Amino acid sequence: MTHQNPVYKRVVVKVGTNVITGRDGKLDHAILDSLTSEIASLMADGIEVILVTSGAVGAGRGIVSLSGSLTPVETRQVLSATGQIRLINAYNDRFEKHGMIGAQLLVTKGDFRDRQHYLNMRTCFEALLQQKIVPIVNENDAVAVTELMFTDNDELSGLIASMLQVDGHIILSNVDGLFDMQSEGHTVIEEIDPGSKNFSHYIRPGKSEFGRGGMLTKCTIAHKLSRLGITVHIANGTKPGILRTIVEGGRTGTKFIAQKAKQSRKRWIALSEGLEKGAVIINQGAIDALTSTEHATSLLPVGITAVDGNFSRGDVIRICSEKGEVIGYGMASSSAEKARTNQGQKGHKPVIHYDHLYLVP
Ligand code: GLU
């Protein structure tokens, strides 16, 4: 078959639980067949694909009948630990039929916290892709509890997309995209501009039936990624040929148009929400200086009114106003102790350099 020129060279494909499991919690073999053969065909054309897949808990539900009383956390641990084996085998068996090798990577949110650890993880993905092996990623649900947990796999897939600087990020769910709830007939929104802010009128309340994610987290991640330079598609994973259509620039689902790509460190900082080791509270003068569009400004100790936590140089910290609003995130150039000693004083080096600063839109 002749294929059109792809518009993407490297993509993350995120597959939701609802795409690959039926209502009975069993894996849907037909959908898995078509998704894996599409991925194999894209890879044969030289497009690098990283697969982020949910469905471990869903698959576990299809095989374990739980007895006795378990807490919700224990239930998730048992279902994911058992279901992940079925899930990975379901993908890997199919990839093998296409002459390909799959690799399993199970991660927790904590793996993204430390820059060096993050870079080690990136090296592993790059090495797999170089060997033409498909990385198959899921959250390590059996051990990821409380603060180590991702909000959902949409968040996880966003972190992977940003880490690997993909040019396209495809989020597959069982709906056609974002619907304009204000239009008659609720049509699918084809494109979303990176400047858009309020998604509430595109979103039906509620979350997906079996997975943890919902349309709002999908939108939030998609919007963030598009502002970091990654084009994001939210599309229906049950439609045959969906990946090929998107990769060749066809119109389907909702596309979040990308802004100019941000450099690696900024992308890491921008997606570090929840991983901060501390915070600085800054006064209005400092907020005005940081948000001024005239020139790039670093955060100096003089504008800091309080320092929270015990961070070290190189850690990501949150920047808040005195009213508690989050202004942004940054990589600290000094320790919390030093920032505390110098806060409110002129003539000291920045606590966050402007190259290591990400302001919340
Ligand atoms: N990691 C979970 C699973 O494999 C899914 C989380 C989500 O639904 O986003 O079941």
Side-chain angles (χ1 to χ4, degrees):
M1 204 198 300
T2 54
H3 293 135
Q4 310 228 350
N5 280 342
V7 290
Y8 301 123
K9 297 297 290 164
R10 176 180 279 192
V11 290
V12 161
V13 174
K14 188 263 166 177
V15 179
T17 302
N18 290 335
V19 176
I20 50 161
T21 47
R23 307 195 113 256
D24 55 358
K26 297 261 192 302
L27 289 170
D28 184 325
H29 296 289
I31 299 272
L32 282 164
D33 285 346
S34 82
L35 283 176
T36 47
S37 74
E38 270 208 275
I39 292 172
S41 148
L42 293 177
M43 297 218 17
D45 287 351
I47 298 156
E48 292 173 322
V49 181
I50 302 100
L51 175 62
V52 177
T53 181
S54 301
V57 174
R61 212 175 265 131
I63 48 178
V64 185
S65 3
L66 295 169
S67 56
S69 61
L70 291 184
T71 63
V73 169
E74 289 165 338
T75 304
R76 182 169 153 261
Q77 289 177 316
V78 170
L79 295 181
S80 64
T82 48
Q84 177 64 27
I85 304 178
R86 305 302 193 281
L87 184 67
I88 200 76
N89 285 341
Y91 280 110
N92 201 46
D93 291 350
R94 287 169 171 83
F95 283 132
E96 279 182 358
K97 286 194 185 126
H98 292 282
M100 293 168 62
I101 304 171
Q104 172 177 253
L105 295 112
L106 299 178
V107 298
T108 69
K109 188 155 172 172
D111 290 322
F112 292 82
R113 179 179 276 162
D114 174 73
R115 178 89 184 147
Q116 191 52 51
H117 187 78
Y118 175 91
L119 295 176
N120 293 342
M121 193 159 58
R122 188 171 80 185
T123 305
C124 169
F125 277 89
E126 293 290 355
L128 290 167
L129 291 170
Q130 191 209 54
Q131 298 303 311
K132 313 243 179 295
I133 294 170
V134 199
I136 309 172
V137 192
N138 194 2
E139 179 168 9
N140 194 347
D141 294 285
V143 300
V145 185
T146 58
E147 88 275 17
L148 283 183
M149 256 173 93
F150 299 101
T151 317
D152 49 43
N153 269 11
D154 298 320
E155 183 189 21
L156 161 62
S157 68
L159 282 157
I160 301 279
S162 158
M163 178 175 81
L164 296 175
Q165 191 152 28
V166 300
D167 38 15
H169 181 41
I170 305 172
I171 300 180
L172 296 179
S173 85
N174 59 349
V175 291
D176 286 342
L178 283 194
F179 290 91
D180 185 350
M181 300 308 280
Q182 285 167 349
S183 78
E184 235 176 272
H186 298 168
T187 46
V188 171
I189 319 260
E190 287 194 357
E191 285 185 347
I192 300 229
D193 188 85
S196 311
K197 277 204 165 132
N198 185 1
F199 299 109
S200 56
H201 55 276
Y202 299 148
I203 294 161
R204 241 183 283 242
K207 24 184 232 105
S208 70
E209 199 175 352
F210 291 124
R212 288 209 300 278
M215 217 24 123
L216 190 57
T217 56
K218 287 186 181 34
C219 275
T220 312
I221 296 294
H223 186 230
K224 262 194 197 167
L225 290 184
S226 67
R227 294 176 59 89
L228 297 174
I230 298 168
T231 307
V232 184
H233 298 261
I234 298 181
N236 193 334
T238 65
K239 274 194 183 162
I242 188 79
L243 293 178
R244 175 67 66 185
T245 307
I246 292 173
V247 166
E248 289 181 355
R251 279 180 178 265
T252 181
T254 303
K255 172 176 169 182
F256 288 71
I257 298 165
Q259 271 179 348
K260 192 168 153 274
K262 297 261 191 297
Q263 40 119 310
S264 156
R265 202 183 291 267
K266 275 224 177 180
R267 294 198 311 271
W268 171 63
I269 295 165
L271 295 177
S272 284
E273 189 180 339
L275 296 175
E276 318 89 272
K277 293 262 182 77
V280 286
I281 319 297
I282 63 172
N283 62 25
Q284 192 54 47
I287 298 177
D288 294 342
L290 292 184
T291 51
S292 141
T293 45
E294 272 152 47
H295 30 238
T297 313
S298 299
L299 176 64
L300 297 170
V302 67
I304 296 179
T305 57
V307 177
D308 278 349
N310 198 10
F311 53 86
S312 310
R313 182 187 156 90
D315 287 341
V316 172
I317 57 174
R318 190 171 63 244
I319 308 159
C320 294
S321 73
E322 289 175 312
K323 287 190 220 128
E325 295 145 330
V326 180
I327 308 297
Y329 297 88
M331 194 179 89
S333 305
S334 75
S335 66
E337 204 185 341
K338 193 163 168 204
R340 233 171 249 128
T341 311
N342 296 342
Q343 75 181 55
Q345 294 174 28
K346 285 191 177 162
H348 295 287
K349 286 197 178 142
V351 173
I352 300 174
H353 187 270
Y354 67 79
D355 272 343
H356 304 156
L357 182 69
Y358 174 79
L359 299 175
V360 171

